[in-house]
Amino acid sequence: MGSVKEDFKEHIEASLELLRDRCFSLIRLLRETWPLLLLLAIIVGMAIWLAKPAPPRHVVIASGVSGSSADLFAKEYARFFRRHGILLEIVSTSGSRENIARLLDRKNSIHVAFVQGGLLKPEEAKELLSLGSTGYDPLWFFHRGPIGKEFKGVEALKTNKIAIGPPGSGTNALTRHILKLNGISVGPNILEIPFIDAARALQRGEIDGMIIVDSLDALVQALLYSPGVHLVQFTRVPAYTKQLHFIEAVQIPMGSIDMAKNLPPEDVQTIATTLNLLIDKNLHPAIQMLFMQAMTEVNGRESFFSHAKEFPSYKDPTVPESEIAQRYYQNGPPFLMRYLPFWLAEFIDRMSILLMPLIAFAYPIISSMPNFRRQRVLKRLQQQYGKLKFLENEIINNYEPSRRDEYTQRLDTLEQDAISLKVPQSFAENYFQLRSNIDFVRGILNKLETGQKKPINYSL
């Protein structure tokens, strides 16, 4: 039992001694190679400085009217961004036209915005990029009165009091497209008022109808359940899709809203535009990729008008598609972003651009460290040998008894310098050989002091 304890104790002592030797060796290595390490640190620092800038930690997005589908999406995006360490600030606006104006304003802090399809002018579209569409926004045309009797599609827009949303909203712009296609001018019966005010006026019977372009949100559902309020049937939907390239045909099947109440009471054909996420061209690529992932998580779910994974997708060709979005739609998120935290994956991606040049500079430095250390140790030993050789020649060829103490002192100094040398274990033989040669020269001095014959050749 005692031998086992002794063996265990010896193993522990040996391990500690080995660890101590390794630590001392590392410390000596750092002391001897610090110039190379400093050069390497400077190169790495320059590589990080020259790499493409890190993504911002604060991004601002223009959503739209509070409570709209764009506003709800923006809030879900903000939660997604928060999980990845980015603050997404949401700015509510009057709608798509204001979003476009603020996005085009270089002095504005907004770099991302929701915009309904068909609102951008050609010169405006060139200044922006699209990350794709987030879903369909149908046009809901509500009216009061018996189904399909007094209202026959857009004919109601000629004389009835119809609210088309405030100026600057996507609803207002799309309605004006429809009026223009049908040769109807905007008269005093067309009211440009906020959607909430229009819905209340329609429910009270103060206006004849209202149009709203949005998903199946709370306001739309409230109007669907309002007594006396019905949906207008569009009879020329295919014609609208031909005339307006950003328009899609959608159907609201009978009873699909509420089967118990049979809402709507008949199949309703209508048109829909897409809600698009547009960005400033200068938005950081990593932030663009994060938006693509957020859109997939939030908008990739099945909804009333879309199948699962139908969105996000590039459906509105009015605005050029971002290269980041193109790569995402083809290949999905980058490999690193699938498994690493956003900040780490993004950092590695930035550094990878300079990885090869960095390796080209760093490899020679790292590989030369052992030889650099060897050369420094050899240089120190050679310096000691040079001093010893010089002293030996002086003693052999010009020995003066009166300088005996001086010779001894110089030998003692050389020996002390040799003892203080810090050399790796691989140079132990050279170290002890130097010590032996010092003793050899000391022997020569002793022989000369005792009057023995002067040595003929004592070369080291």
Side-chain angles (χ1 to χ4, degrees):
M1 193 69 178
S3 62
V4 174
K5 289 183 177 180
E6 290 175 358
D7 289 343
F8 181 74
K9 182 178 180 181
E10 288 178 1
H11 282 303
I12 294 296
E13 291 177 349
S15 299
L16 292 175
E17 184 176 352
L18 179 62
L19 179 61
R20 184 171 60 252
D21 290 342
R22 289 289 184 268
C23 290
F24 287 153
S25 177
L26 177 61
I27 292 172
R28 287 195 295 268
L29 176 65
L30 295 176
R31 287 178 178 175
E32 293 166 1
T33 60
W34 69 265
L36 293 179
L37 293 174
L38 178 61
L39 178 60
L40 181 61
I42 293 174
I43 292 174
V44 171
M46 290 182 63
I48 295 175
W49 182 68
L50 292 173
K52 59 184 181 182
R57 294 293 176 182
H58 178 214
V59 183
V60 184
I61 182 172
S63 60
V65 179
S66 179
S68 64
S69 58
D71 185 56
L72 298 177
F73 290 155
K75 289 176 180 176
E76 292 197 64
Y77 292 175
R79 287 191 287 270
F80 180 89
F81 271 63
R82 194 180 304 116
R83 296 203 310 263
H84 293 82
I86 305 294
L87 173 62
L88 182 62
E89 180 184 347
I90 303 172
V91 176
S92 297
T93 63
S94 62
S96 293
R97 280 310 314 174
E98 182 182 346
N99 289 358
I100 294 171
R102 299 184 73 164
L103 201 54
L104 291 171
D105 185 1
R106 297 302 179 187
K107 297 180 180 179
N108 202 293
S109 60
I110 292 175
H111 294 94
V112 187
F114 286 99
V115 176
Q116 285 183 0
L119 299 185
L120 279 163
K121 301 174 183 177
E123 60 273 16
E124 294 174 332
K126 294 178 182 178
E127 299 298 319
L128 304 174
L129 292 174
S130 172
L131 295 182
S133 302
T134 62
Y136 295 117
D137 273 356
L139 184 147
W140 306 84
F141 192 168
F142 292 99
H143 73 92
R144 294 193 64 84
I147 300 173
K149 298 299 182 182
E150 286 78 14
F151 283 74
K152 287 293 183 182
V154 295
E155 292 298 317
L157 295 170
K158 292 182 178 180
T159 57
N160 291 274
K161 295 174 65 175
I162 308 295
I164 64 170
S169 66
T171 299
N172 190 296
L174 180 57
T175 304
R176 287 177 176 272
H177 276 301
I178 295 172
L179 290 171
K180 184 177 180 181
L181 286 175
N182 286 274
I184 301 174
S185 59
V186 179
N189 63 304
I190 301 299
L191 309 176
E192 297 179 310
I193 57 178
F195 297 111
I196 294 293
D197 296 340
R200 291 169 180 168
L202 181 62
Q203 290 170 332
R204 292 193 297 263
E206 297 173 359
I207 60 176
D208 301 306
M210 70 170 286
I211 295 175
I212 180 171
V213 178
D214 208 341
S215 62
L216 189 61
D217 63 5
L219 180 59
V220 170
Q221 292 188 49
L223 289 170
L224 287 169
Y225 282 93
S226 297
V229 176
H230 307 284
L231 282 172
V232 172
Q233 181 77 254
F234 272 70
T235 57
R236 295 183 295 171
V237 170
Y240 284 110
T241 62
K242 294 294 183 182
Q243 292 289 332
L244 304 173
H245 65 275
F246 55 89
I247 288 298
E248 301 280 345
V250 294
Q251 185 183 50
I252 308 169
M254 181 176 62
S256 59
I257 304 295
D258 190 330
M259 294 193 70
K261 296 181 180 298
N262 196 33
L263 290 177
E266 63 179 353
D267 291 344
V268 176
Q269 302 289 332
T270 187
I271 58 176
T273 183
T274 52
L275 183 64
N276 307 303
L277 195 63
L278 305 186
I279 62 170
D280 185 295
K281 289 183 176 181
N282 298 320
L283 185 65
H284 195 284
I287 298 298
Q288 293 186 43
M289 185 58 68
L290 202 58
F291 268 112
M292 296 305 303
Q293 292 177 281
M295 291 165 69
T296 299
E297 180 176 303
V298 175
N299 305 110
R301 301 187 291 259
E302 182 179 3
S303 68
F304 188 86
F305 292 102
S306 62
H307 302 292
K309 299 183 180 180
E310 183 177 353
F311 292 96
S313 59
Y314 183 62
K315 290 186 176 293
D316 185 355
T318 305
V319 184
E321 186 179 14
S322 161
E323 292 183 5
I324 301 298
Q326 289 180 6
R327 291 203 297 269
Y328 183 85
Y329 290 131
Q330 292 172 2
N331 308 312
F335 176 79
L336 293 177
M337 284 192 175
R338 298 176 187 177
Y339 304 102
L340 296 178
F342 170 74
W343 66 268
L344 180 58
E346 190 280 328
F347 177 79
I348 294 175
D349 178 66
R350 285 189 292 124
M351 291 298 102
S352 63
I353 298 177
L354 296 176
L355 185 60
M356 293 308 297
L358 182 60
I359 292 175
F361 279 104
Y363 177 75
I365 294 176
I366 295 174
S367 61
S368 65
M369 282 184 179
N371 187 54
F372 179 80
R373 186 185 186 193
R374 178 182 177 84
Q375 293 300 322
R376 283 177 63 88
V377 174
L378 286 175
K379 183 178 180 181
R380 293 173 185 172
L381 291 172
Q382 289 171 357
Q383 288 175 346
Q384 297 300 315
Y385 271 113
K387 294 177 182 179
L388 184 59
K389 178 64 176 175
F390 180 79
L391 180 56
E392 179 199 29
N393 290 335
E394 187 175 351
I395 291 174
I396 294 175
N397 300 319
N398 302 299
Y399 177 73
E400 298 179 13
S402 61
R403 299 177 61 193
R404 169 76 175 95
D405 292 341
E406 178 189 341
Y407 298 144
T408 302
Q409 179 62 40
R410 289 166 67 182
L411 281 170
D412 291 342
T413 301
L414 281 173
E415 186 172 26
Q416 188 61 41
D417 290 343
I419 293 174
S420 63
L421 283 176
K422 304 294 184 182
V423 297
Q425 291 182 357
S426 58
F427 284 88
E429 182 179 352
N430 305 74
Y431 169 76
F432 286 109
Q433 187 177 358
L434 173 62
R435 296 282 303 277
S436 297
N437 286 327
I438 292 175
D439 289 338
F440 178 73
V441 175
R442 194 187 301 280
I444 296 174
L445 180 61
N446 291 335
K447 288 181 181 181
L448 291 174
E449 183 181 5
T450 56
Q452 295 184 24
K453 186 178 179 179
K454 181 183 295 187
I456 297 174
N457 184 10
Y458 290 103
S459 299
L460 293 174

mmCIF file of all heavy atoms in Angstrom, residues 160-187:
data_model
loop_
_atom_site.group_PDB
_atom_site.id
_atom_site.type_symbol
_atom_site.label_atom_id
_atom_site.label_comp_id
_atom_site.label_asym_id
_atom_site.label_seq_id
_atom_site.Cartn_x
_atom_site.Cartn_y
_atom_site.Cartn_z
ATOM 1 N N ASN A 160 -70.908 57.913 -55.096
ATOM 2 C CA ASN A 160 -71.076 57.635 -53.678
ATOM 3 C C ASN A 160 -69.905 58.172 -52.863
ATOM 4 O O ASN A 160 -68.774 58.319 -53.351
ATOM 5 C CB ASN A 160 -71.205 56.128 -53.462
ATOM 6 C CG ASN A 160 -72.517 55.583 -54.013
ATOM 7 O OD1 ASN A 160 -73.535 55.597 -53.340
ATOM 8 N ND2 ASN A 160 -72.482 55.108 -55.246
ATOM 9 N N LYS A 161 -70.212 58.453 -51.607
ATOM 10 C CA LYS A 161 -69.175 58.944 -50.696
ATOM 11 C C LYS A 161 -68.297 57.768 -50.253
ATOM 12 O O LYS A 161 -68.738 56.900 -49.480
ATOM 13 C CB LYS A 161 -69.816 59.627 -49.493
ATOM 14 C CG LYS A 161 -70.586 60.892 -49.843
ATOM 15 C CD LYS A 161 -71.319 61.454 -48.621
ATOM 16 C CE LYS A 161 -70.350 61.920 -47.570
ATOM 17 N NZ LYS A 161 -71.066 62.578 -46.428
ATOM 18 N N ILE A 162 -67.090 57.755 -50.771
ATOM 19 C CA ILE A 162 -66.173 56.637 -50.521
ATOM 20 C C ILE A 162 -64.875 57.176 -49.902
ATOM 21 O O ILE A 162 -64.272 58.125 -50.422
ATOM 22 C CB ILE A 162 -65.837 55.874 -51.817
ATOM 23 C CG1 ILE A 162 -67.121 55.473 -52.555
ATOM 24 C CG2 ILE A 162 -64.971 54.665 -51.525
ATOM 25 C CD1 ILE A 162 -67.981 54.492 -51.797
ATOM 26 N N ALA A 163 -64.458 56.579 -48.799
ATOM 27 C CA ALA A 163 -63.185 56.941 -48.170
ATOM 28 C C ALA A 163 -62.084 56.049 -48.735
ATOM 29 O O ALA A 163 -62.237 54.822 -48.792
ATOM 30 C CB ALA A 163 -63.276 56.769 -46.655
ATOM 31 N N ILE A 164 -60.978 56.656 -49.165
ATOM 32 C CA ILE A 164 -59.887 55.884 -49.800
ATOM 33 C C ILE A 164 -58.571 55.982 -49.022
ATOM 34 O O ILE A 164 -57.510 55.677 -49.551
ATOM 35 C CB ILE A 164 -59.656 56.348 -51.253
ATOM 36 C CG1 ILE A 164 -59.169 57.811 -51.286
ATOM 37 C CG2 ILE A 164 -60.929 56.180 -52.081
ATOM 38 C CD1 ILE A 164 -58.695 58.251 -52.666
ATOM 39 N N GLY A 165 -58.640 56.385 -47.754
ATOM 40 C CA GLY A 165 -57.428 56.461 -46.952
ATOM 41 C C GLY A 165 -56.743 57.804 -47.068
ATOM 42 O O GLY A 165 -56.970 58.564 -48.024
ATOM 43 N N PRO A 166 -55.893 58.144 -46.111
ATOM 44 C CA PRO A 166 -55.231 59.446 -46.124
ATOM 45 C C PRO A 166 -54.210 59.562 -47.240
ATOM 46 O O PRO A 166 -53.702 58.547 -47.742
ATOM 47 C CB PRO A 166 -54.547 59.480 -44.752
ATOM 48 C CG PRO A 166 -54.304 58.049 -44.416
ATOM 49 C CD PRO A 166 -55.481 57.302 -44.973
ATOM 50 N N PRO A 167 -53.902 60.785 -47.671
ATOM 51 C CA PRO A 167 -52.865 60.974 -48.682
ATOM 52 C C PRO A 167 -51.540 60.375 -48.194
ATOM 53 O O PRO A 167 -51.179 60.468 -47.030
ATOM 54 C CB PRO A 167 -52.765 62.498 -48.810
ATOM 55 C CG PRO A 167 -54.082 63.009 -48.315
ATOM 56 C CD PRO A 167 -54.513 62.058 -47.234
ATOM 57 N N GLY A 168 -50.830 59.745 -49.106
ATOM 58 C CA GLY A 168 -49.554 59.125 -48.738
ATOM 59 C C GLY A 168 -49.671 57.659 -48.390
ATOM 60 O O GLY A 168 -48.662 56.962 -48.302
ATOM 61 N N SER A 169 -50.897 57.179 -48.194
ATOM 62 C CA SER A 169 -51.075 55.767 -47.873
ATOM 63 C C SER A 169 -51.075 54.938 -49.147
ATOM 64 O O SER A 169 -51.384 55.418 -50.243
ATOM 65 C CB SER A 169 -52.370 55.551 -47.096
ATOM 66 O OG SER A 169 -53.487 55.848 -47.912
ATOM 67 N N GLY A 170 -50.737 53.639 -49.008
ATOM 68 C CA GLY A 170 -50.765 52.752 -50.156
ATOM 69 C C GLY A 170 -52.166 52.566 -50.692
ATOM 70 O O GLY A 170 -52.372 52.424 -51.905
ATOM 71 N N THR A 171 -53.148 52.562 -49.808
ATOM 72 C CA THR A 171 -54.547 52.429 -50.232
ATOM 73 C C THR A 171 -54.948 53.581 -51.139
ATOM 74 O O THR A 171 -55.579 53.385 -52.190
ATOM 75 C CB THR A 171 -55.466 52.396 -48.996
ATOM 76 O OG1 THR A 171 -55.121 51.276 -48.186
ATOM 77 C CG2 THR A 171 -56.923 52.308 -49.417
ATOM 78 N N ASN A 172 -54.592 54.794 -50.741
ATOM 79 C CA ASN A 172 -54.921 55.987 -51.519
ATOM 80 C C ASN A 172 -54.304 55.902 -52.912
ATOM 81 O O ASN A 172 -54.979 56.172 -53.922
ATOM 82 C CB ASN A 172 -54.416 57.225 -50.776
ATOM 83 C CG ASN A 172 -54.906 58.519 -51.377
ATOM 84 O OD1 ASN A 172 -54.582 58.847 -52.503
ATOM 85 N ND2 ASN A 172 -55.702 59.274 -50.618
ATOM 86 N N ALA A 173 -53.025 55.488 -52.967
ATOM 87 C CA ALA A 173 -52.330 55.428 -54.253
ATOM 88 C C ALA A 173 -52.929 54.358 -55.163
ATOM 89 O O ALA A 173 -53.140 54.588 -56.366
ATOM 90 C CB ALA A 173 -50.846 55.165 -54.022
ATOM 91 N N LEU A 174 -53.204 53.167 -54.612
ATOM 92 C CA LEU A 174 -53.766 52.089 -55.445
ATOM 93 C C LEU A 174 -55.171 52.449 -55.926
ATOM 94 O O LEU A 174 -55.531 52.170 -57.080
ATOM 95 C CB LEU A 174 -53.792 50.785 -54.646
ATOM 96 C CG LEU A 174 -54.344 49.562 -55.389
ATOM 97 C CD1 LEU A 174 -53.552 49.303 -56.665
ATOM 98 C CD2 LEU A 174 -54.314 48.327 -54.489
ATOM 99 N N THR A 175 -55.951 53.071 -55.080
ATOM 100 C CA THR A 175 -57.308 53.475 -55.490
ATOM 101 C C THR A 175 -57.244 54.475 -56.642
ATOM 102 O O THR A 175 -58.058 54.430 -57.580
ATOM 103 C CB THR A 175 -58.075 54.084 -54.304
ATOM 104 O OG1 THR A 175 -58.097 53.145 -53.223
ATOM 105 C CG2 THR A 175 -59.503 54.420 -54.698
ATOM 106 N N ARG A 176 -56.297 55.377 -56.586
ATOM 107 C CA ARG A 176 -56.150 56.355 -57.680
ATOM 108 C C ARG A 176 -55.749 55.654 -58.980
ATOM 109 O O ARG A 176 -56.159 56.081 -60.068
ATOM 110 C CB ARG A 176 -55.117 57.410 -57.292
ATOM 111 C CG ARG A 176 -55.647 58.389 -56.230
ATOM 112 C CD ARG A 176 -54.579 59.391 -55.808
ATOM 113 N NE ARG A 176 -55.136 60.359 -54.865
ATOM 114 C CZ ARG A 176 -55.737 61.492 -55.196
ATOM 115 N NH1 ARG A 176 -55.866 61.809 -56.489
ATOM 116 N NH2 ARG A 176 -56.218 62.319 -54.290
ATOM 117 N N HIS A 177 -54.941 54.593 -58.897
ATOM 118 C CA HIS A 177 -54.630 53.796 -60.088
ATOM 119 C C HIS A 177 -55.911 53.218 -60.684
ATOM 120 O O HIS A 177 -56.129 53.259 -61.910
ATOM 121 C CB HIS A 177 -53.681 52.641 -59.722
ATOM 122 C CG HIS A 177 -52.236 53.014 -59.699
ATOM 123 N ND1 HIS A 177 -51.577 53.518 -60.803
ATOM 124 C CD2 HIS A 177 -51.311 52.950 -58.698
ATOM 125 C CE1 HIS A 177 -50.302 53.742 -60.490
ATOM 126 N NE2 HIS A 177 -50.120 53.413 -59.210
ATOM 127 N N ILE A 178 -56.767 52.681 -59.823
ATOM 128 C CA ILE A 178 -58.018 52.068 -60.276
ATOM 129 C C ILE A 178 -58.938 53.116 -60.908
ATOM 130 O O ILE A 178 -59.559 52.882 -61.952
ATOM 131 C CB ILE A 178 -58.709 51.358 -59.097
ATOM 132 C CG1 ILE A 178 -57.847 50.177 -58.624
ATOM 133 C CG2 ILE A 178 -60.101 50.879 -59.482
ATOM 134 C CD1 ILE A 178 -58.338 49.532 -57.344
ATOM 135 N N LEU A 179 -59.029 54.270 -60.262
ATOM 136 C CA LEU A 179 -59.855 55.354 -60.818
ATOM 137 C C LEU A 179 -59.366 55.765 -62.197
ATOM 138 O O LEU A 179 -60.162 55.951 -63.133
ATOM 139 C CB LEU A 179 -59.833 56.553 -59.864
ATOM 140 C CG LEU A 179 -60.562 56.387 -58.525
ATOM 141 C CD1 LEU A 179 -60.249 57.570 -57.607
ATOM 142 C CD2 LEU A 179 -62.064 56.258 -58.740
ATOM 143 N N LYS A 180 -58.045 55.886 -62.332
ATOM 144 C CA LYS A 180 -57.483 56.317 -63.607
ATOM 145 C C LYS A 180 -57.749 55.295 -64.708
ATOM 146 O O LYS A 180 -58.095 55.662 -65.845
ATOM 147 C CB LYS A 180 -55.980 56.539 -63.444
ATOM 148 C CG LYS A 180 -55.314 57.075 -64.698
ATOM 149 C CD LYS A 180 -53.824 57.344 -64.438
ATOM 150 C CE LYS A 180 -53.155 57.888 -65.699
ATOM 151 N NZ LYS A 180 -51.710 58.147 -65.483
ATOM 152 N N LEU A 181 -57.589 53.995 -64.363
ATOM 153 C CA LEU A 181 -57.842 52.947 -65.360
ATOM 154 C C LEU A 181 -59.293 52.955 -65.819
ATOM 155 O O LEU A 181 -59.588 52.626 -66.983
ATOM 156 C CB LEU A 181 -57.487 51.572 -64.774
ATOM 157 C CG LEU A 181 -55.995 51.242 -64.624
ATOM 158 C CD1 LEU A 181 -55.807 49.909 -63.916
ATOM 159 C CD2 LEU A 181 -55.320 51.199 -65.994
ATOM 160 N N ASN A 182 -60.211 53.337 -64.939
ATOM 161 C CA ASN A 182 -61.638 53.339 -65.271
ATOM 162 C C ASN A 182 -62.135 54.692 -65.755
ATOM 163 O O ASN A 182 -63.347 54.871 -65.968
ATOM 164 C CB ASN A 182 -62.449 52.907 -64.049
ATOM 165 C CG ASN A 182 -62.343 51.415 -63.787
ATOM 166 O OD1 ASN A 182 -63.088 50.612 -64.348
ATOM 167 N ND2 ASN A 182 -61.391 51.024 -62.941
ATOM 168 N N GLY A 183 -61.217 55.630 -65.927
ATOM 169 C CA GLY A 183 -61.604 56.936 -66.439
ATOM 170 C C GLY A 183 -62.448 57.735 -65.476
ATOM 171 O O GLY A 183 -63.275 58.544 -65.903
ATOM 172 N N ILE A 184 -62.253 57.542 -64.185
ATOM 173 C CA ILE A 184 -63.020 58.258 -63.162
ATOM 174 C C ILE A 184 -62.122 59.298 -62.510
ATOM 175 O O ILE A 184 -61.003 58.986 -62.070
ATOM 176 C CB ILE A 184 -63.550 57.279 -62.091
ATOM 177 C CG1 ILE A 184 -64.443 56.219 -62.746
ATOM 178 C CG2 ILE A 184 -64.318 58.033 -61.013
ATOM 179 C CD1 ILE A 184 -64.879 55.131 -61.789
ATOM 180 N N SER A 185 -62.577 60.520 -62.469
ATOM 181 C CA SER A 185 -61.806 61.579 -61.831
ATOM 182 C C SER A 185 -62.121 61.630 -60.341
ATOM 183 O O SER A 185 -63.185 61.196 -59.899
ATOM 184 C CB SER A 185 -62.127 62.939 -62.477
ATOM 185 O OG SER A 185 -63.516 63.216 -62.342
ATOM 186 N N VAL A 186 -61.172 62.166 -59.591
ATOM 187 C CA VAL A 186 -61.348 62.273 -58.142
ATOM 188 C C VAL A 186 -62.239 63.474 -57.854
ATOM 189 O O VAL A 186 -61.841 64.621 -58.026
ATOM 190 C CB VAL A 186 -59.985 62.420 -57.432
ATOM 191 C CG1 VAL A 186 -60.189 62.556 -55.925
ATOM 192 C CG2 VAL A 186 -59.100 61.228 -57.749
ATOM 193 N N GLY A 187 -63.455 63.185 -57.422
ATOM 194 C CA GLY A 187 -64.397 64.266 -57.136
ATOM 195 C C GLY A 187 -64.548 64.501 -55.645
ATOM 196 O O GLY A 187 -63.881 63.867 -54.816
#
